[in-house]
Amino acid sequence: MLALATVGFAVNFWAWALLSPLGPRFKDSLDLSSFEQSLLVAVPVVVGSLGRIPVGGLTDRFGGRVMFPLVSAVTIVPVLYLGLAGHSSLAALLAGGFFLGIGGTAFAVGVPFVSAWFLPERRGLAIGIFGAGMGGTAISALTTVKLVDAGGMATPFWIIAAVLAAYAVTAALVLRDAPGRAVPAETLARRLTDTFKLGITWHASALYAVAFGGYVAFSVYLPTYLKTGYGLTQADAANRMAGFVLLAVAMRPVGGWLSDRVGPVRVLGAALTVVLAGALVQSFTPALAPTGTLAFLAMAAALGVGSGAVFALVALLSPAGKVGSVTGVVGAAGGLGGFLPPLVMGALYGAYGSYAIGLVLLAVVAGAALAFTGTGVRRALTRRAPAAATA
């Protein structure tokens, strides 16, 4: 079940990230400004993020066996629209990108589905492995431009539509929810209201907005950054972004595994420290080889570890029956954390001709998250320990 869920996450994220590698191409063909290009790649991110809130609540109620095939099947529609007709104007791309965001909600399906199959002491690693499905964005980065060059604009969209259809059928036939899964009796609105009252919802949301938000922001904007800031070709920039994504993906299970052993607070503290340092180094726009490359790879590893640690924290502190709802809200915060930076970077570059201020802002945010981890989050875990021992 873990393997099937991870594949489903990867496939939906592959679809979710189709527009990002094509951003520079659309910029040239449609004569887009830097802000319009940033908006184009950010719209699927924000829709996929906000959509996780209701989808997480629905997963608590109906289970991953229903929701995984449903999300995958619905995502086929905007994929085909973009490939066949929705790439001729900015308005058409934004409309298609809006509904393409549905693919990003698969994350809120998988976390409660996987969590229910594992004991608490193993959930960090299990959810970290599931989180490696975010590598679907790397598949998109490595293949989309090449497929367009080889077969035309519709080619990658036809391929991912077929893959989504195959997965939806397979998931409907094979997926099973965990025995004894807690099914809430309350309405979706009541459960979401209760979820917003939980401390873990807000703690994890703040941290995930930095950890996963940073990953999403770089995964959608790094090709533009490298092409504009360092003069790389579109293909070279996409390949380097894929390397960033793959490292972050590989380190996410490590973050969950380490959290199971030394605790998520320590893991988050170390990860955020690396992000802070890497952003400060890159704000000086050093030579790409080796300093810039090392800074970006260090941040990729840290953001992957941090993302895994946040959901180890969610698995520890979320009440049974509300994991999906908490995941939906936290996942939305992470996606929204990835929505704003590309817009800010595009606006700052348009105004000042430099990305330095944006990277300094990332360092400041990482520092604030580091301080919060060492205070508020640590206190929340400390308060939980006596109650867990009593139980």
Side-chain angles (χ1 to χ4, degrees):
M1 294 300 104
L2 174 58
L4 283 170
T6 304
V7 170
F9 182 27
V11 168
N12 279 278
F13 253 44
W14 178 5
W16 191 41
L18 279 172
L19 291 181
S20 175
L22 297 173
R25 180 169 301 217
F26 290 133
K27 183 179 188 298
D28 295 337
S29 64
L30 300 177
D31 194 25
L32 304 180
S33 67
S34 294
F35 180 80
E36 287 172 332
Q37 182 185 354
S38 300
L39 183 64
L40 172 63
V41 299
V43 164
V45 173
V46 72
V47 174
S49 303
L50 292 175
R52 291 173 189 175
I53 297 176
V55 168
L58 290 170
T59 303
D60 279 340
R61 178 67 181 85
F62 297 106
R65 183 183 182 183
V66 171
M67 294 303 295
F68 254 129
L70 181 61
V71 168
S72 302
V74 172
T75 304
I76 294 172
V77 177
V79 167
L80 289 177
Y81 165 75
L82 285 166
L84 296 176
H87 54 265
S88 57
S89 69
L90 177 61
L93 283 167
L94 291 176
F98 181 90
F99 291 101
L100 190 66
I102 294 170
T105 67
F107 179 74
V109 178
V111 170
F113 175 81
V114 170
S115 182
W117 277 101
F118 290 86
L119 296 172
E121 60 270 19
R122 298 183 63 198
R123 284 177 186 161
L125 176 59
I127 295 173
I129 292 172
F130 166 75
M134 67 187 189
T137 56
I139 299 175
S140 179
L142 289 169
T143 62
T144 302
V145 174
K146 294 182 177 67
L147 288 171
V148 169
D149 289 341
M153 182 60 69
T155 302
F157 296 91
W158 275 114
I159 291 173
I160 188 55
V163 174
L164 283 166
Y167 179 77
V169 172
T170 303
L173 295 174
V174 179
L175 277 185
R176 295 292 182 272
D177 289 307
R181 181 180 71 88
V183 180
E186 302 95 337
T187 64
L188 176 60
R190 175 61 183 273
R191 279 183 282 124
L192 289 177
T193 300
D194 292 342
T195 297
F196 281 111
K197 295 178 181 178
L198 296 172
I200 179 58
T201 302
W202 298 105
H203 292 162
S205 292
L207 295 172
Y208 205 57
V210 179
F212 186 71
Y215 161 80
V216 171
F218 279 121
S219 68
V220 300
Y221 198 72
L222 195 55
T224 300
Y225 174 90
L226 292 174
K227 187 173 185 291
T228 305
Y230 286 96
L232 301 186
T233 65
Q234 181 182 350
D236 192 10
N239 288 337
R240 289 173 186 268
M241 185 271 273
F244 181 98
V245 168
L246 288 171
L247 180 56
V249 167
M251 294 304 292
R252 184 158 180 159
V254 175
W257 176 76
L258 286 172
S259 297
D260 287 341
R261 279 149 183 78
V262 303
V265 168
R266 291 180 180 176
V267 177
L268 280 165
L272 290 167
T273 300
V274 173
V275 173
L276 190 160
L280 285 178
V281 169
Q282 191 56 35
S283 69
F284 292 97
T285 317
L288 198 56
T291 307
T293 298
L294 290 175
F296 275 118
L297 291 179
M299 286 192 287
L303 291 169
V305 167
S307 297
V310 170
F311 273 94
L313 191 69
V314 169
L316 279 175
L317 299 182
S318 297
K322 288 188 171 64
V323 177
S325 298
V326 174
T327 296
V329 177
V330 174
L336 290 174
F339 170 73
L340 292 176
L343 298 180
V344 172
M345 294 288 273
L348 288 173
Y349 187 83
Y352 301 105
S354 171
Y355 292 114
I357 298 175
L359 288 158
V360 170
L361 288 175
L362 171 60
V364 171
V365 171
L370 177 60
F372 177 63
T373 300
T375 54
V377 177
R378 187 181 296 277
R379 283 197 299 269
L381 279 173
T382 302
R383 286 195 300 268
R384 175 191 175 276
T390 301

